[in-house]
Amino acid sequence: MSELKNIFERICSQALKINDGTLARYIPELANVNPEQFAIAAMTVEGECISYGDDKSLFTLQSTSKPFTYGFALEERGEELVHSKIGVEPSGEAFDSIIELEKKTHRPFNPMINSGAIAIASMIQDKANNVREERVLNLFSELAGRQLDFNRDVFLSEKKTAHRNRAIAHLLRHFEVIGDDIEESLDLYFKQCSINSNVKDLAAMAATLANNGVQPSSKKRIYTEENTTRMISLMFSCGMYDSVGTWAYTVGIPAKSGVSGAIFGVVPGKMGIACFSPLIDSHGHSLKGVYAIRELTKQLGMNIFK
Ligand code: GLN
């Protein structure tokens, strides 16, 4: 672990030299964050966690939440129902593509892009005394190993300006991928995106996937092994959107990014790694985060094809 700290330090000093990228201004509240922040963390499947940099800074999960709600829907509604509405193919398009649904079935291509994630949100149901947004917050709190909260300002900011996601949701309604609860499904989707966490929380979520669905600190099983494998597989083929081929080729681990500058990778059977740095590229990936996770994977020899 002390070797890992040295590697973190070296990667951080190199990453800080990268100054390209922009804040995700299309969600107005995300334009207010300090662009200089950088944090990296890893949690092993034994539950040991190590972090470096701004590891107390909070950020919203944004699209890094998508694999976890996908897994939740698999657990709750079953594979057959989930995939009767959502495919398992990379779309080759940006995360917010509005035109791309599968030709014959009109399903979203996969649960890692906005259309698929909104469809997933529509499948998560209220339970007695526990409305679905609370159930989703509980899920993420269990994954992180501590109580998390929604960032209300980011939630409201996205809700107010989400014309594109709203258009996607109406298209999904038109093709009967989702029902009449369009606004409710969008709200739940914006809420999962607005969950506040730090880089250690995200590493713990990633480590749960590395550990076959069992949270390494609490030892609580959150996903079945089968569903965990499904989540990681789709992260590998679709998690980095239209740059997933380059990612797979150069990094070689399943990963997921979010426009807040959060990014995480899963090294099955070994560890979860996470990075946060807000300046993103045109695909919506943190530039420093991509560099950091690529370097870490390389330096630890963790490419899964190696
Ligand atoms: N909430 C964001 C959106 O729907 C998430 C996108 C992302 O992180 N790539 O636009």
Side-chain angles (χ1 to χ4, degrees):
M1 278 311 235
S2 72
E3 185 207 332
L4 200 53
K5 193 113 196 172
N6 292 337
I7 296 178
F8 276 4
E9 217 171 298
R10 281 203 306 274
I11 289 176
C12 176
S13 72
Q14 289 302 315
L16 288 177
K17 293 182 188 154
I18 303 170
N19 278 315
D20 302 331
T22 52
L23 292 169
R25 293 204 170 78
Y26 77 97
I27 300 176
E29 196 60 29
L30 291 186
N32 298 331
V33 307
N34 170 7
E36 308 286 310
Q37 300 174 89
F38 178 87
I40 183 162
M43 185 186 267
T44 66
V45 292
E46 289 84 29
E48 257 187 284
C49 186
I50 173 163
S51 59
Y52 190 84
D54 300 312
D55 56 3
K56 296 203 171 50
S57 292
L58 293 175
F59 52 83
T60 52
L61 288 174
Q62 299 302 334
S63 288
T64 57
S65 63
K66 288 170 179 167
F68 301 105
T69 50
Y70 163 56
F72 195 49
L74 286 176
E75 296 283 325
E76 297 254 302
R77 309 299 303 269
E79 209 240 339
E80 208 178 316
L81 182 125
V82 169
H83 286 296
S84 68
K85 300 283 182 187
I86 304 162
V88 294
E89 296 295 340
S91 69
E93 294 286 332
F95 65 86
D96 58 355
S97 174
I98 200 164
I99 38 168
E100 286 299 325
L101 294 175
E102 288 184 345
K103 293 273 172 306
K104 281 199 187 120
T105 63
H106 304 297
R107 295 180 306 180
F109 274 81
N110 65 72
M112 303 293 145
I113 49 177
N114 290 10
S115 53
I118 294 166
I120 288 289
S122 80
M123 293 176 187
I124 297 172
Q125 297 171 311
D126 291 343
K127 277 216 170 138
N129 301 328
N130 207 348
V131 293
R132 53 191 188 168
E133 61 180 64
E134 276 170 31
R135 303 188 66 223
V136 164
L137 190 59
N138 285 344
L139 166 75
F140 283 94
S141 301
E142 282 190 338
L143 286 161
R146 71 178 185 101
Q147 182 62 46
L148 301 180
D149 263 316
F150 296 115
N151 181 325
R152 215 179 140 66
D153 293 338
V154 173
F155 164 69
L156 290 175
S157 176
E158 178 161 27
K159 181 176 163 74
K160 214 160 124 185
T161 52
H163 307 297
R164 196 175 173 104
N165 279 329
R166 197 156 278 118
I168 291 174
H170 280 274
L171 199 62
L172 295 179
R173 173 66 191 90
H174 172 77
F175 287 118
E176 291 175 1
V177 174
I178 67 175
D180 285 330
D181 55 343
I182 303 170
E183 280 303 314
E184 290 87 343
S185 302
L186 281 168
D187 271 5
L188 187 63
Y189 170 69
F190 302 145
K191 285 229 162 111
Q192 73 180 64
C193 288
S194 77
I195 292 173
N196 255 341
S197 71
N198 63 40
V199 77
K200 289 194 267 185
D201 299 327
L202 190 56
M205 297 177 197
T208 304
L209 302 189
N211 197 30
N212 276 323
V214 174
Q215 212 279 0
S217 319
S218 68
K219 312 281 182 235
K220 186 170 177 194
R221 176 164 290 287
I222 301 184
Y223 302 106
T224 63
E225 282 193 31
E226 245 184 338
N227 285 339
T228 309
T229 305
R230 292 181 175 122
M231 295 159 73
I232 302 176
S233 306
L234 286 193
M235 280 173 61
F236 192 72
S237 55
C238 312
M240 300 295 277
Y241 317 122
D242 48 338
S243 71
V244 74
T246 308
W247 178 268
Y249 182 74
T250 55
V251 189
I253 60 168
K256 189 74 206 76
S257 71
V259 289
S260 54
I263 176 167
F264 74 91
V266 175
V267 189
K270 295 205 173 99
M271 63 174 81
I273 55 184
C275 187
F276 162 62
S277 193
L279 295 178
I280 56 171
D281 65 14
S282 58
H283 306 286
H285 313 322
S286 165
L287 275 155
K288 293 187 184 73
V290 164
Y291 170 83
I293 299 222
R294 187 178 65 220
E295 278 309 302
L296 188 61
T297 308
K298 205 186 283 172
Q299 293 185 29
L300 295 177
M302 296 189 302
N303 183 320
I304 58 172
F305 297 108
K306 211 172 142 122

